[in-house]
Amino acid sequence: MSERLDAELARVTLDAFSMLGFMFPLDECPGGQPPVISDNALVVEVSFSGPIEGVVRLRAEPQLVEALAANMTGEDEPPPQSQQVDALKEMLNVICGNILPAIDERAVFDVHAPQVGSWRDNPAAGGDGAGGLCKLARACVNLDSGQVEVELAAAGAVKVE
Amino acid sequence: MALNVLVVDDSGVMRSMIMRTLEMSGIDIGEIHQAGNGREALEVLDGHWVDMALVDINMPVMNGEELIEAIRARPAIADLPIIVISTEGSQTRIERLQQRGVAFIHKPFTPETIHELVQTVTEKSYEREA
């Protein structure tokens, strides 16, 4: 994995959550330590195709997702589950749209509709073990409402500058 | 002078977000109309006066590019100021959109960015009075 891409993924994730979700960073996630995200976290993923094919996945605790949707809609009452999922999907769309130029700024990618997904833990760096995808980058962002984790995986060898 | 706006995005959450950002931007907002795709947007435009449209690109039924083409083909609304709000990262695609006479805001965006762009594309001041 590329440290530069990890840092860029963290930056675009933080930008998305702060500018659109009104959530702000706390201290960095402990380096080298897994994020404190439970198994009932909501996971969304979006696939992309173009010069390379891959997927971006995002997961967050339910209470963060509820707060996110409330912030985005400006509602005082907790938004319905469908809106909460929609809010997290929108964050993922923004993250994906901003990280792909970091791989290749002139390439044209097709980004597909985000959907609810599953998280694939793989302690071996660079290996996803599913569908031949290799993990290119990972970021954990510590927000005032909780932690989010995002990963970028792609098929085949990708040269990251 | 208040700005009447049409917000077109297939995500209800994102439409809410855009409307909140408009309200935070200091622009004097009049009526805000919403549409979930390009076809719904054209129906709104048939029945209401709109000063500016904020349009997403990736939508079902009729996407943003198709909507822009349809607007530009209708003499009554051909000059409607349009701002595309998108996650599109490809400079090639962005330039193609801009060649159709639309402005572009990349998500995520701030109230200040949208304020500045509204002034530019409408060539009018819609400052909200204090």
Side-chain angles (χ1 to χ4, degrees), chain A residues 115-141:
Chain A
Q115 52 192 347
V116 174
S118 58
W119 196 259
R120 297 175 178 86
D121 282 318
N122 189 329
D128 182 275
L133 297 179
C134 291
K135 201 171 291 186
L136 294 185
R138 173 195 169 273
C140 172
V141 179

Side-chain angles (χ1 to χ4, degrees), chain B residues 46-116:
Chain B
D46 280 342
H48 299 89
W49 175 261
V50 164
D51 298 304
M52 187 188 71
L54 296 163
V55 177
D56 185 23
I57 288 298
N58 296 315
M59 296 182 290
V61 182
M62 179 187 275
N63 66 34
E65 288 190 81
E66 293 166 335
L67 170 61
I68 291 165
E69 275 191 45
I71 289 172
R72 294 294 186 240
R74 297 185 175 194
I77 56 173
D79 294 329
L80 177 68
I82 298 173
I83 297 176
V84 165
I85 299 184
S86 176
T87 56
E88 181 59 61
S90 160
Q91 196 57 35
T92 305
R93 278 195 176 134
I94 292 170
E95 288 168 0
R96 190 174 73 204
L97 287 167
Q98 290 172 325
Q99 284 167 8
R100 297 181 184 186
V102 305
F104 186 91
I105 288 183
H106 198 261
K107 294 176 186 174
F109 52 89
T110 63
E112 293 75 21
T113 302
I114 208 163
H115 179 275
E116 193 178 312

Side-chain angles (χ1 to χ4, degrees), chain A residues 34-43 58-65 118-119 121 146-149:
Chain A
V36 185
I37 298 181
S38 64
D39 290 341
N40 68 341
L42 179 61
V43 180
L58 170 67
R59 65 171 175 167
E61 294 280 6
Q63 65 267 23
L64 183 147
V65 180
S118 58
W119 196 259
D121 282 318
Q147 287 184 346
V148 300
E149 186 176 10

Side-chain angles (χ1 to χ4, degrees), chain A residues 20-139:
Chain A
L20 296 181
F22 304 108
M23 293 183 172
F24 300 97
L26 297 179
D27 296 334
E28 292 182 6
C29 293
Q33 299 296 316
V36 185
I37 298 181
S38 64
D39 290 341
N40 68 341
L42 179 61
V43 180
V44 290
E45 61 183 45
V46 65
S47 60
F48 58 88
S49 56
I52 60 170
E53 295 183 353
V55 66
V56 183
R57 295 189 188 97
L58 170 67
R59 65 171 175 167
E61 294 280 6
Q63 65 267 23
L64 183 147
V65 180
E66 180 180 306
L68 174 69
N71 288 353
M72 290 179 75
T73 57
E75 299 290 335
D76 293 328
E77 295 295 320
Q81 180 68 12
S82 58
Q83 278 196 352
Q84 295 181 35
V85 175
D86 192 15
L88 197 64
K89 286 180 178 178
E90 282 302 314
M91 285 296 112
L92 178 61
N93 262 338
V94 173
I95 291 166
C96 185
N98 282 279
I99 195 61
L100 291 181
I103 298 175
D104 186 341
E105 65 179 1
R106 294 303 305 188
V108 177
F109 290 99
D110 288 314
V111 180
H112 309 291
Q115 52 192 347
V116 174
S118 58
W119 196 259
R120 297 175 178 86
D121 282 318
N122 189 329
D128 182 275
L133 297 179
C134 291
K135 201 171 291 186
L136 294 185
R138 173 195 169 273

